[in-house]
Amino acid sequence: MMEDYLKPFLKKGKAMFLAYDHGFEHGPKDLIGKSLDPEYILDLAVKGGYTGIILQKGIAEKYYTGTKYQRQIPLILKINGKTNLCSQEEPYSAINCRVEYAQQLGAQAVGYTIYLGSEKETKMFEDFGRIQEEAHRLNMAAIAWIYPRGKAVLNETSSEITQYAARVGLELGADLIKIKYPGSEEAMKEAIKAAGKTKVVLSGGPKIEEEEFLDEIKKVIKAGVIGVAVGRNVWQRDNALEITEKIKKIIFEV
Amino acid sequence: MMEDYLKPFLKKGKAMFLAYDHGFEHGPKDLIGKSLDPEYILDLAVKGGYTGIILQKGIAEKYYTGTKYQRQIPLILKINGKTNLCSQEEPYSAINCRVEYAQQLGAQAVGYTIYLGSEKETKMFEDFGRIQEEAHRLNMAAIAWIYPRGKAVLNETSSEITQYAARVGLELGADLIKIKYPGSEEAMKEAIKAAGKTKVVLSGGPKIEEEEFLDEIKKVIKAGVIGVAVGRNVWQRDNALEITEKIKKIIFEV
Amino acid sequence: MMEDYLKPFLKKGKAMFLAYDHGFEHGPKDLIGKSLDPEYILDLAVKGGYTGIILQKGIAEKYYTGTKYQRQIPLILKINGKTNLCSQEEPYSAINCRVEYAQQLGAQAVGYTIYLGSEKETKMFEDFGRIQEEAHRLNMAAIAWIYPRGKAVLNETSSEITQYAARVGLELGADLIKIKYPGSEEAMKEAIKAAGKTKVVLSGGPKIEEEEFLDEIKKVIKAGVIGVAVGRNVWQRDNALEITEKIKKIIFEV
Amino acid sequence: MMEDYLKPFLKKGKAMFLAYDHGFEHGPKDLIGKSLDPEYILDLAVKGGYTGIILQKGIAEKYYTGTKYQRQIPLILKINGKTNLCSQEEPYSAINCRVEYAQQLGAQAVGYTIYLGSEKETKMFEDFGRIQEEAHRLNMAAIAWIYPRGKAVLNETSSEITQYAARVGLELGADLIKIKYPGSEEAMKEAIKAAGKTKVVLSGGPKIEEEEFLDEIKKVIKAGVIGVAVGRNVWQRDNALEITEKIKKIIFEV
Amino acid sequence: MMEDYLKPFLKKGKAMFLAYDHGFEHGPKDLIGKSLDPEYILDLAVKGGYTGIILQKGIAEKYYTGTKYQRQIPLILKINGKTNLCSQEEPYSAINCRVEYAQQLGAQAVGYTIYLGSEKETKMFEDFGRIQEEAHRLNMAAIAWIYPRGKAVLNETSSEITQYAARVGLELGADLIKIKYPGSEEAMKEAIKAAGKTKVVLSGGPKIEEEEFLDEIKKVIKAGVIGVAVGRNVWQRDNALEITEKIKKIIFEV
């Protein structure tokens, strides 16, 4: 039972993922310039030495499966998603891909977003419960995006709620969780302790100043995350490969 | 995984579909004159050289399956639908035909409408997720009608929302999407870029002036759609075959 | 695929059905005098020469299956139903019998009520979608009672809504629909045209004057229905067999 | 199809059931004195010559299955239930035992409560529809408790509503129904007529004066019920065996 | 059918469980000091001589399954859970682990929380109904946490409601129930009587004064519970092993 489901995605025990599901979650307005093209992103992921790429089903099926990319970089298939069009008050993100289909597309892990504190939280625990078991049955990793949200959540990135998110990831059996920056190295350290043997990566978030962003990564790496899942802070820049090199250094050359 | 599910429906890589599900969606009042009769429509589709016919289950089963038409024109079975009787505020269109049954009726593709931005959006993503996988398992194309609608959608055909619709089609793994005219060639070009390897056809819409309609088609063809799905603008006219010829020229003789 | 699922129920291509699910839909207060007894009704159906009997599961199982009646008259099992006790504003009628069980009880067709325009319309399209496929798989006819109802329906028997009901029956793949009298021969003729290859029978409705009722039947037969499904207008009268003879003449001796 | 599913529960065609699900439905406050102990009840049922015992899953599994009682008295497993804690306005009672499991516990019949007229009525028709078919497939009887209830029901024991309840039991295919006393022998007679070949037992109800209770039983037996399902009026008394003898006389020595 | 599903968890017929699902239910703020670390807890459970450990899926999978602990202490897998973030007015706790998966993780029992009196009570009865049958099919114990809660419940630990909770545990077929202290030995005795052959353990609850806590345990042991499930009152103290010894004495040396 102690299979290492994350092994395909780690290099020296560290992870650097390129996330690219924003076209679904936020619309193409996020996909500035060349980043609208999935092949540009896949090339970037390969050249940049990312240890995993995060895609929704359709882009995987049309740009990754059976292509050279499948041999070059492992895939995390994000199997739920929603748009930002309707009310986000008590969010729920629906499954659009079965775990088995994700495997057929070449994925070695599935990703699922849980909005902790949303009134639809129970439905997401049920969903993730089934997904996690199915993933392990198929020898795949189960990765949870855990984002506190909903009327009951006053501060989505407080230290306390971030620790809670991290702990729920562990209790539900996620192999890895993707959580937001809780504001300080110390707060991230606490969250990582709460997550126990469940590994933690930083969720990159919207584009900020390069220096600020790299500083954030330094802090969370010190705090003990095994890596980051970045997107907009990389491919919304012209110097995507350059900043990738900087991130890589922080993660792998500690 | 790079099967070309659309192949049966393309001629020189282009598509000209005749849509005929209006009796369900809008009622027989749309089916002016001879167009009330499915055989008139099927004859028109064959004579006009359409590359695919779009029908609901019942009409397929009673007029297409096992008839000469099945040998003459490929079928896209529209597997969900709703009437225009009750509230359309947050629309949802229910599945009335399994993908497997569609195949038994002779269909080589299934069509499903997603109302992007509707509060029932999540249910439609789940539905389409399953349908898409089932279709590909059966070697059929999965086609999404993507129409932004619901209280959250202020302008259903803006350039931005059309790009979003197109992108969601790609992210969800549609092989082809049917979207509305976003008002200009430029806007359609942007949507097509957002859709990537997912092909795009124009949704014909309600009857407008012939010249205006043909002009719209010219623009979207220039923009890069692979074709159109027309209905009312053809069979609500006496000169249905004539206008068909004009459309055909625009699509195939570029 | 062009099996004639209706064949067991037709005589010279015409149908005369005796409906008897009113004990469920309206309560025993409808079942005046001898009509409370299912055997009286079954005898009447046989003696009267009806071409089909319409029953709910329980009455079929206890009075029809394995009895002489099973050899004498074919069965349409009505597989959904509701009482008239609670709110009828946006009606939905739940399935209480699987299609396969209906077949085990000796039925050669299943009946299902769709309240067109009800806010639960989508659920009924889903239900009927599955039922229709299951029925055809088992070589049984799928019959839809299509009754426009709900806040959105201002006039339940207008010519326009009746045409819509008829068309939806065709689009959903019903082999036969049972619809209400739209007020004139002309309106019924339009509905029948909209229904195409889906056959139409008149739904008898509450008891009215004999002359008026027979006149209605004459009109719809002229309009092109293949028959009628009668109940209260027959078995709520003492002269049930006599009026049956009159109906029979109108239907079969045109 | 005319199996006699009720046979194991009848003596001279009559039924005398001891009901004991009150601990679930009303709480232990109903289970006065020795009646809190299931073994006391089972002993009473055996000694009293009851023709069936009605239990929920847990009590059956722990006190009946595999014990001497299983050889001494047949079991009706009540497979749905609810507490009286939350709102009873539009009641629904959830299934907590599959029919197949009931059979594994030794039951030869399953019982299910339908609250006729409740807004959740449709769900109960669906539930009972499936249960009835499953029971017959396993050669077990399907028994319906039919209790009119909900805002739409003004008088839960009027003659008219009781007839309706009885008829719905027949239409849904119950082998036996358990209904409340409608106030007179005449009203019960009408209900029994409405139920046709579906057998009827009286639901005993809350404890009343012995004489009044026995009188009620006399009346319903005269009216034609095949027996009674008693509980509180028996085991809430010290002279439980004595009153059992009196009931037995009324039922079996007519 | 009289398997003793609880056998693996009993010593001299008594039970002393260490509960550790608080990281999910209340967040890591409950997990004071070393108790944040699951291995600390598992060590404590083993050293303290607990007869069972209660974990959620994720902690079991990552810290128990296939480790030395699996050989040292039997596992009760808590298969539902919720956070304390959103509204608790009418609570429901969702299943995140199938019974079969629990068994694969090494569990010999499953635990499920029922909020008695919550408006979602019916859903929990359905859930537990299925879980209980699945557990017994797999030769595992089915344990119910029964906590009265919801607007309809005025006093969650009154003697009357506690008896009701206990009885529902029996009626639903729980092998063991975990209930709260109803305020007195006498009240607990009544609850235990209501539970019949379903065994009862005390739910430890939030940390209170040591003396008060031990006194509570003495009382419930006298009242007849087979043991306790403790958590915060043990591992929120520095002297966790010491207090464990005191509890052990009370339970096993009566």
Side-chain angles (χ1 to χ4, degrees):
Chain A
M1 273 289 168
M2 285 309 289
E3 326 294 341
D4 204 347
Y5 300 114
L6 292 175
K7 217 173 158 188
F9 298 98
L10 301 185
K11 204 176 121 184
K12 303 186 191 176
K14 295 292 161 69
M16 186 173 77
F17 298 151
L18 194 61
Y20 185 63
D21 60 345
H22 307 70
F24 193 176
E25 296 285 338
H26 310 141
K29 72 176 191 303
D30 258 25
L31 308 175
I32 292 163
K34 291 176 285 183
S35 74
L36 186 67
D37 179 9
E39 291 188 337
Y40 168 76
I41 296 294
L42 279 155
D43 279 335
L44 171 61
V46 171
K47 279 181 207 150
Y50 285 89
T51 68
I53 178 92
I54 299 166
L55 302 173
Q56 285 274 340
K57 173 165 76 171
I59 294 190
E61 196 166 9
K62 292 206 163 40
Y63 293 88
Y64 175 89
T65 311
T67 72
K68 63 178 178 186
Y69 301 119
Q70 193 173 352
R71 293 183 300 274
Q72 293 171 332
I73 185 167
L75 171 65
I76 296 160
L77 200 88
K78 185 75 195 326
I79 63 173
N80 69 341
K82 58 172 191 51
T83 68
N84 65 6
L85 294 172
C86 30
S87 166
Q88 310 290 318
E89 270 201 349
E90 303 294 345
Y92 171 73
S93 174
I95 298 171
N96 59 59
C97 183
R98 286 176 311 116
V99 178
E100 210 167 36
Y101 200 79
Q103 189 172 60
Q104 287 170 27
L105 296 182
Q108 292 171 278
V110 288
Y112 178 92
T113 302
I114 294 170
Y115 293 109
L116 204 74
S118 160
E119 280 179 13
K120 286 157 200 145
E121 190 189 81
T122 53
K123 192 160 164 42
M124 291 179 270
F125 293 158
E126 279 170 9
D127 278 1
F128 188 74
R130 286 191 308 269
I131 287 164
Q132 192 259 11
E133 298 179 16
E134 183 70 0
H136 288 184
R137 189 180 70 77
L138 296 171
N139 206 29
M140 298 168 78
I143 304 179
W145 280 221
I146 312 193
Y147 299 154
R149 206 163 299 173
K151 264 173 293 187
V153 178
L154 301 180
N155 180 346
E156 297 179 359
T157 54
S158 75
S159 178
E160 193 183 336
I161 197 82
T162 305
Q163 285 174 55
Y164 204 162
R167 186 67 178 197
V168 167
L170 169 61
E171 303 264 349
L172 287 173
D175 299 301
L176 179 70
I177 56 171
K178 179 167 171 262
I179 57 175
K180 298 202 169 158
Y181 184 59
S184 72
E185 182 187 328
E186 192 47 42
M188 188 54 113
K189 199 175 272 178
E190 291 303 315
I192 290 164
K193 269 169 66 181
K197 290 193 182 174
T198 290
K199 304 299 184 195
V200 179
V201 293
L202 176 75
S203 174
K207 186 175 165 189
I208 52 178
E209 284 302 312
E210 177 170 326
E211 204 172 343
E212 194 189 342
F213 184 59
L214 295 174
D215 189 57
E216 199 176 296
I217 295 181
K218 276 175 204 156
K219 280 180 182 149
V220 297
I221 287 289
K222 267 201 217 159
V225 303
I226 65 158
V228 298
V230 294
R232 286 167 287 177
N233 272 292
V234 169
W235 42 252
Q236 282 188 353
R237 291 180 209 275
D238 289 333
N239 65 342
L241 268 175
E242 267 173 61
I243 195 172
T244 294
E245 287 307 313
K246 290 172 186 167
I247 297 166
K248 209 188 307 186
K249 259 194 193 137
I250 300 170
I251 296 177
F252 296 99
E253 303 182 6
V254 190
Chain B
M1 274 289 169
M2 285 309 288
E3 328 293 342
D4 202 348
Y5 301 113
L6 293 175
K7 216 173 159 188
F9 298 98
L10 301 184
K11 205 177 121 185
K12 302 186 192 177
K14 295 291 162 70
M16 186 172 77
F17 298 150
L18 193 62
Y20 186 63
D21 59 345
H22 307 69
F24 193 176
E25 297 286 338
H26 310 141
K29 72 176 192 301
D30 257 26
L31 309 174
I32 291 163
K34 290 177 285 184
S35 73
L36 185 66
D37 179 10
E39 291 188 336
Y40 168 76
I41 297 292
L42 280 156
D43 280 334
L44 171 61
V46 171
K47 279 182 208 149
Y50 285 89
T51 68
I53 177 93
I54 300 165
L55 302 173
Q56 285 274 340
K57 174 165 75 170
I59 294 190
E61 196 167 8
K62 293 205 163 41
Y63 293 87
Y64 176 89
T65 311
T67 71
K68 64 178 176 186
Y69 301 119
Q70 193 172 353
R71 292 183 302 274
Q72 293 171 332
I73 186 167
L75 171 65
I76 295 160
L77 200 88
K78 184 76 196 324
I79 64 173
N80 70 341
K82 60 171 189 53
T83 68
N84 65 6
L85 293 172
C86 30
S87 166
Q88 310 291 318
E89 270 202 348
E90 303 294 345
Y92 171 72
S93 174
I95 297 171
N96 59 58
C97 183
R98 287 176 310 117
V99 179
E100 211 167 35
Y101 200 78
Q103 189 171 59
Q104 288 170 27
L105 296 181
Q108 292 172 280
V110 287
Y112 178 92
T113 302
I114 294 170
Y115 293 109
L116 204 76
S118 160
E119 281 179 12
K120 286 156 201 145
E121 189 189 80
T122 53
K123 194 160 163 42
M124 291 179 270
F125 293 158
E126 279 170 10
D127 278 0
F128 188 74
R130 286 191 309 268
I131 286 163
Q132 192 259 12
E133 298 178 17
E134 183 69 1
H136 287 184
R137 190 180 69 77
L138 297 170
N139 206 29
M140 298 167 78
I143 305 179
W145 279 222
I146 311 193
Y147 299 154
R149 205 164 298 172
K151 262 173 296 188
V153 178
L154 301 181
N155 180 348
E156 298 179 358
T157 55
S158 75
S159 178
E160 192 182 338
I161 198 82
T162 306
Q163 285 174 54
Y164 203 162
R167 186 67 178 198
V168 167
L170 168 61
E171 303 264 349
L172 288 172
D175 299 301
L176 179 70
I177 56 172
K178 179 167 171 263
I179 57 175
K180 298 202 169 157
Y181 184 59
S184 72
E185 182 187 328
E186 192 45 44
M188 188 53 112
K189 198 176 272 178
E190 292 303 314
I192 290 164
K193 269 170 65 181
K197 291 192 182 174
T198 290
K199 304 299 182 194
V200 180
V201 293
L202 176 75
S203 174
K207 187 176 164 189
I208 53 178
E209 285 302 312
E210 178 170 326
E211 204 171 343
E212 194 189 342
F213 183 61
L214 295 173
D215 189 56
E216 201 177 297
I217 296 181
K218 275 175 205 154
K219 280 178 182 152
V220 297
I221 287 289
K222 267 201 217 157
V225 302
I226 65 158
V228 298
V230 293
R232 286 166 287 177
N233 272 292
V234 169
W235 42 252
Q236 283 187 354
R237 291 180 208 275
D238 289 332
N239 65 341
L241 268 174
E242 266 174 60
I243 195 173
T244 295
E245 288 308 313
K246 289 172 186 166
I247 297 167
K248 210 188 306 186
K249 258 193 194 136
I250 301 170
I251 296 177
F252 296 99
E253 303 181 6
V254 191
Chain C
M1 274 289 169
M2 285 309 287
E3 327 294 341
D4 204 347
Y5 300 114
L6 293 175
K7 216 174 160 187
F9 297 99
L10 301 184
K11 205 176 120 185
K12 301 187 193 175
K14 294 292 161 71
M16 186 172 76
F17 298 150
L18 194 60
Y20 185 63
D21 60 345
H22 307 69
F24 193 177
E25 296 285 339
H26 310 141
K29 72 174 193 303
D30 258 24
L31 309 175
I32 291 163
K34 291 177 286 182
S35 74
L36 186 66
D37 179 10
E39 291 188 337
Y40 168 76
I41 297 292
L42 280 155
D43 280 334
L44 171 61
V46 170
K47 279 182 207 150
Y50 285 90
T51 68
I53 178 92
I54 299 166
L55 301 174
Q56 285 274 342
K57 173 166 75 169
I59 294 190
E61 194 166 9
K62 292 206 163 40
Y63 293 87
Y64 176 89
T65 311
T67 71
K68 63 178 177 185
Y69 301 119
Q70 193 172 352
R71 293 182 302 274
Q72 293 171 332
I73 186 167
L75 172 65
I76 296 160
L77 200 89
K78 185 75 197 325
I79 63 173
N80 69 342
K82 60 172 190 52
T83 69
N84 65 5
L85 293 172
C86 31
S87 167
Q88 310 292 317
E89 271 202 348
E90 302 294 345
Y92 171 72
S93 174
I95 297 171
N96 60 59
C97 183
R98 286 176 310 116
V99 179
E100 210 167 35
Y101 199 78
Q103 188 171 62
Q104 288 170 27
L105 296 182
Q108 292 172 279
V110 288
Y112 179 91
T113 302
I114 294 170
Y115 293 109
L116 204 76
S118 161
E119 280 179 13
K120 286 156 201 145
E121 190 190 80
T122 52
K123 193 160 164 41
M124 291 179 270
F125 293 158
E126 279 169 10
D127 278 1
F128 188 74
R130 286 191 309 269
I131 287 164
Q132 192 260 11
E133 298 179 16
E134 183 69 1
H136 287 185
R137 190 180 67 78
L138 297 170
N139 206 29
M140 299 168 77
I143 305 179
W145 279 222
I146 311 193
Y147 299 154
R149 205 164 297 173
K151 264 173 294 188
V153 177
L154 301 180
N155 180 348
E156 298 180 359
T157 55
S158 75
S159 178
E160 192 181 340
I161 198 82
T162 306
Q163 285 174 53
Y164 203 162
R167 185 68 179 197
V168 167
L170 168 62
E171 302 264 350
L172 288 173
D175 299 301
L176 178 71
I177 55 172
K178 179 169 171 260
I179 57 175
K180 297 202 169 157
Y181 184 60
S184 73
E185 182 187 328
E186 192 46 44
M188 189 54 114
K189 199 176 271 178
E190 291 303 315
I192 290 164
K193 270 169 64 182
K197 290 193 183 175
T198 289
K199 303 299 183 196
V200 180
V201 293
L202 176 75
S203 174
K207 187 177 163 189
I208 52 178
E209 284 302 313
E210 177 170 325
E211 206 173 342
E212 194 189 342
F213 183 61
L214 295 174
D215 189 57
E216 200 176 298
I217 297 181
K218 276 175 206 156
K219 280 179 181 150
V220 297
I221 287 289
K222 268 201 218 156
V225 303
I226 65 158
V228 298
V230 293
R232 287 166 286 177
N233 272 293
V234 168
W235 42 252
Q236 283 187 352
R237 290 180 209 276
D238 288 332
N239 64 341
L241 268 175
E242 266 173 61
I243 195 173
T244 295
E245 288 308 312
K246 289 172 186 166
I247 297 166
K248 209 188 306 186
K249 260 195 192 132
I250 300 170
I251 297 176
F252 296 98
E253 303 181 8
V254 191
Chain D
M1 273 290 170
M2 285 308 288
E3 326 294 342
D4 204 347
Y5 300 113
L6 294 175
K7 217 174 160 188
F9 298 98
L10 301 185
K11 204 177 120 186
K12 303 187 192 174
K14 295 292 161 71
M16 185 172 76
F17 298 151
L18 194 60
Y20 186 63
D21 60 345
H22 307 70
F24 193 176
E25 296 285 337
H26 310 141
K29 73 175 190 303
D30 257 24
L31 308 174
I32 291 163
K34 291 177 286 183
S35 74
L36 186 66
D37 179 9
E39 291 188 336
Y40 168 75
I41 297 292
L42 280 155
D43 280 333
L44 171 61
V46 170
K47 279 181 207 150
Y50 285 90
T51 68
I53 178 92
I54 299 165
L55 302 173
Q56 286 273 341
K57 173 165 75 171
I59 294 190
E61 195 166 10
K62 292 204 162 41
Y63 292 88
Y64 176 89
T65 311
T67 72
K68 63 178 177 186
Y69 301 119
Q70 193 173 352
R71 293 183 302 275
Q72 294 171 332
I73 186 168
L75 171 66
I76 295 160
L77 200 89
K78 184 76 196 324
I79 63 172
N80 69 340
K82 60 172 190 52
T83 68
N84 64 6
L85 293 172
C86 30
S87 166
Q88 310 292 317
E89 271 202 347
E90 302 294 345
Y92 171 72
S93 173
I95 297 171
N96 60 59
C97 182
R98 287 177 309 118
V99 179
E100 210 167 36
Y101 199 79
Q103 188 171 61
Q104 288 170 27
L105 295 181
Q108 293 172 278
V110 288
Y112 179 91
T113 302
I114 294 170
Y115 294 108
L116 203 76
S118 161
E119 280 179 12
K120 286 156 200 146
E121 189 189 80
T122 53
K123 192 159 164 43
M124 291 179 269
F125 293 158
E126 279 169 10
D127 279 1
F128 188 74
R130 285 192 308 269
I131 287 164
Q132 191 259 12
E133 298 179 16
E134 183 69 0
H136 287 185
R137 190 180 69 78
L138 296 170
N139 206 29
M140 299 168 78
I143 305 179
W145 280 222
I146 311 194
Y147 299 154
R149 206 164 296 173
K151 264 172 295 188
V153 177
L154 301 180
N155 181 347
E156 297 179 1
T157 54
S158 74
S159 178
E160 193 182 337
I161 197 83
T162 306
Q163 285 174 53
Y164 203 162
R167 185 68 178 197
V168 166
L170 169 61
E171 302 264 350
L172 287 172
D175 299 301
L176 179 71
I177 55 172
K178 180 168 170 261
I179 56 175
K180 297 202 170 158
Y181 184 60
S184 72
E185 184 187 326
E186 192 47 42
M188 188 53 112
K189 200 175 274 178
E190 292 302 316
I192 290 164
K193 270 170 65 182
K197 290 193 182 174
T198 290
K199 303 298 182 196
V200 180
V201 293
L202 177 74
S203 174
K207 187 176 164 188
I208 51 178
E209 284 303 312
E210 178 171 324
E211 206 172 341
E212 194 189 342
F213 183 60
L214 295 173
D215 189 56
E216 199 176 299
I217 296 181
K218 275 175 206 156
K219 280 179 182 150
V220 298
I221 287 289
K222 267 201 218 158
V225 304
I226 66 158
V228 298
V230 292
R232 287 166 286 177
N233 272 293
V234 169
W235 42 251
Q236 282 187 354
R237 291 179 209 276
D238 289 332
N239 65 341
L241 267 175
E242 266 173 61
I243 195 173
T244 294
E245 286 308 313
K246 290 172 186 167
I247 297 166
K248 210 189 306 186
K249 259 194 193 136
I250 300 170
I251 296 176
F252 297 98
E253 302 181 7
V254 190
Chain E
M1 274 290 168
M2 285 308 288
E3 327 293 342
D4 204 347
Y5 300 113
L6 293 175
K7 217 174 158 188
F9 298 98
L10 301 185
K11 204 175 122 186
K12 303 185 191 177
K14 295 292 162 70
M16 187 174 76
F17 298 149
L18 194 61
Y20 186 63
D21 60 346
H22 308 70
F24 193 176
E25 296 285 338
H26 310 142
K29 72 176 191 302
D30 257 24
L31 308 174
I32 291 164
K34 291 177 287 184
S35 74
L36 186 67
D37 179 9
E39 291 188 337
Y40 168 76
I41 296 292
L42 279 156
D43 280 334
L44 171 61
V46 170
K47 279 181 207 150
Y50 285 88
T51 68
I53 178 92
I54 299 165
L55 302 173
Q56 285 274 341
K57 172 165 76 170
I59 294 190
E61 194 166 9
K62 293 205 162 42
Y63 293 88
Y64 175 89
T65 311
T67 71
K68 63 178 177 186
Y69 301 119
Q70 192 173 353
R71 292 182 302 274
Q72 293 170 332
I73 186 166
L75 171 65
I76 295 160
L77 200 89
K78 184 75 196 325
I79 63 173
N80 69 341
K82 59 173 190 50
T83 69
N84 65 6
L85 293 172
C86 29
S87 167
Q88 310 291 318
E89 270 202 349
E90 303 295 345
Y92 172 72
S93 174
I95 297 171
N96 59 58
C97 182
R98 287 176 310 116
V99 178
E100 210 167 36
Y101 200 78
Q103 188 172 60
Q104 288 170 26
L105 296 181
Q108 292 171 279
V110 287
Y112 179 91
T113 302
I114 294 170
Y115 293 109
L116 204 75
S118 160
E119 280 179 13
K120 286 156 200 146
E121 190 190 79
T122 53
K123 192 160 164 42
M124 291 179 270
F125 292 158
E126 279 170 10
D127 279 1
F128 188 74
R130 285 192 308 268
I131 287 164
Q132 191 259 12
E133 297 179 17
E134 183 70 0
H136 288 184
R137 190 180 69 78
L138 296 170
N139 205 28
M140 298 168 78
I143 304 179
W145 280 222
I146 312 193
Y147 299 154
R149 206 164 297 173
K151 264 173 292 188
V153 177
L154 301 181
N155 180 347
E156 298 179 358
T157 55
S158 75
S159 178
E160 193 182 337
I161 198 82
T162 305
Q163 285 174 54
Y164 203 163
R167 185 68 178 197
V168 167
L170 168 61
E171 303 264 350
L172 287 173
D175 299 301
L176 179 70
I177 55 172
K178 180 168 171 261
I179 56 175
K180 298 202 169 156
Y181 184 59
S184 73
E185 183 187 327
E186 192 47 42
M188 189 52 114
K189 199 175 272 177
E190 292 302 315
I192 290 164
K193 269 169 65 182
K197 290 192 182 174
T198 289
K199 303 300 184 195
V200 180
V201 293
L202 176 75
S203 174
K207 188 177 165 187
I208 52 177
E209 284 303 312
E210 177 171 325
E211 205 172 342
E212 194 189 342
F213 183 60
L214 295 173
D215 189 56
E216 199 176 297
I217 296 181
K218 275 174 206 158
K219 280 179 182 149
V220 297
I221 287 288
K222 267 202 218 159
V225 303
I226 65 157
V228 299
V230 293
R232 285 165 289 175
N233 271 291
V234 168
W235 42 252
Q236 282 187 353
R237 290 180 209 276
D238 289 333
N239 65 341
L241 268 174
E242 266 174 60
I243 195 173
T244 295
E245 287 307 313
K246 289 171 187 168
I247 297 166
K248 209 189 307 184
K249 259 194 193 135
I250 300 170
I251 296 177
F252 296 99
E253 303 182 6
V254 190

